[in-house]
Amino acid sequence: MVLAGKRILLIISGGIAAYKSLDLIRRLRERGASVRPVMTAGAQQFITPLAVGALAADHVFTDLFSRQDEQDVGHIRLARDCDLVLIAPATADLLAKMANGLADDLASTILLATDRPVLAAPAMNPKMWAHAATKRNVEMLRGDGIAFVGPMKGEMAESGETGTGRMAEPFEIVAAVEMRLHDGAKPLAGKKAIITSGPTHEPIDPVRYIANRSSGRQGHAIASALAALGADVTLVSGPVTIPDPAGMHVIHVERADDMRDAVLAALPADIAVMVAAVADWKVASASDQKIKKHPGESLPTLALTENPDILKTVGHHTQRPKLVIGFAAETQDVESNARAKLERKGADIIVANDVSPATGIMGGTRNRVKIIRHDGVEQWPDLDKDDVAVRLAALIAEQFKQG
Ligand SMILES: Cc1cc2nc3c(=O)[nH]c(=O)nc-3n(C[C@H](O)[C@H](O)[C@H](O)COP(=O)(O)O)c2cc1C
């Protein structure tokens, strides 16, 4: 477990994103960390200390002037008896207090008294984040050595406005915590990774195409997780409706041929993770004009031809990346098909998943994968696709650590 034995003091302040802190606590504990929660009065307007305490399995500290808490632990010890102070969500108000050294409640007092690293995950309305005062405060805090994760672009929970201000997702915060606790070193710094993601669209004519149900969620999440570990990521994305992840070079393609060209142009690289659901076939000669319907005449037939095998091309390339990982979406004999694919494609790892309709994996948000290597198989539990991504990125980092 990546965070085994690590003690995190989690300060929750009063933003709408506080509900995500519950998931964050669960994820931190799943990775072996202990979480000691502190809530501002504002935070308690959004979620209850009961829920936070139950998930953290610890007492929730809320009051600076609690005689009992002061006797039991004391605010100075709270501030120091941890490996990291994490603020999620961090409100504009709390950032302003920190920047100015105010200490008028338990959270701000701890933040002034601590000598531990501090990581903040701001969350606020985009106008608040863009305000000159917040910008000034964040600038000052960065100068004071406070680290930040997010905020991200996206739609705000309460107002529906879009812009920068959404709190980083819990899995992104966990990745930032891991990085911070491992001496701030990014284990994949200096490594170049190429990721493919999403489906391909193979044209039949100018308005029709052959596609598949891939959403790009898994590939995009892997690209983000690798970027979070410091990799220089090129994401080659088929047509998807999800936004481009931040902090990487994104190339948009439609057809398998374009995807292959983009991947080869991005070589050399250290890591290739081929997640895209590339169409096996394309129409042999797509029509330049829309194919018309002629009532009474025979139906048009589509002659298919094979698409390039991108994984195999990369796996046998003269500039083959050190680590080549492919995905196998199967609906039957998942493990034996994936094992055959491992050999045939020249890959180091195949991540196999059962995409039978009943699993809901294709196009869904969760995934249950098997990691198939030349020397063994590992079944991972049913996980959020973001968590599969974080785990896979950690596995890749481990691989490079071993040399
Ligand atoms: C419905 C609602 C949602 C809010 N969401 C946020 C938010 O996301 N970020 C933020 O900085 N402030 C937000 N606020 C304002 C803070 O709650 C307010 O500034 C409060 O004083 C923060 O206290 P704290 O920093 O001590 O927790 C929100 C207020 C309301 C009423």
Side-chain angles (χ1 to χ4, degrees), residues 13-16 40 42-43 46 91-94 97 105 123-124 128 158:
S13 58
I16 195 89
T40 64
F46 295 90
T91 55
D93 172 66
L94 188 53
K97 282 188 191 171
D105 66 359
M124 64 197 72
M128 289 169 84
E158 80 275 34

Side-chain angles (χ1 to χ4, degrees), residues 213-238:
R213 296 183 196 281
S214 167
S215 64
R217 282 197 192 99
Q218 187 63 84
H220 280 49
I222 291 168
S224 286
L226 289 171
L229 295 188
D232 167 14
V233 175
T234 298
L235 172 64
V236 182
S237 171

Side-chain angles (χ1 to χ4, degrees), residues 192-244:
K192 185 172 170 191
I194 307 173
I195 320 301
T196 64
S197 182
T200 61
H201 284 180
E202 306 300 332
I204 297 171
D205 66 18
V207 296
R208 304 182 180 96
Y209 55 82
I210 300 173
N212 60 62
R213 296 183 196 281
S214 167
S215 64
R217 282 197 192 99
Q218 187 63 84
H220 280 49
I222 291 168
S224 286
L226 289 171
L229 295 188
D232 167 14
V233 175
T234 298
L235 172 64
V236 182
S237 171
V240 294
T241 54
I242 55 175
D244 287 351

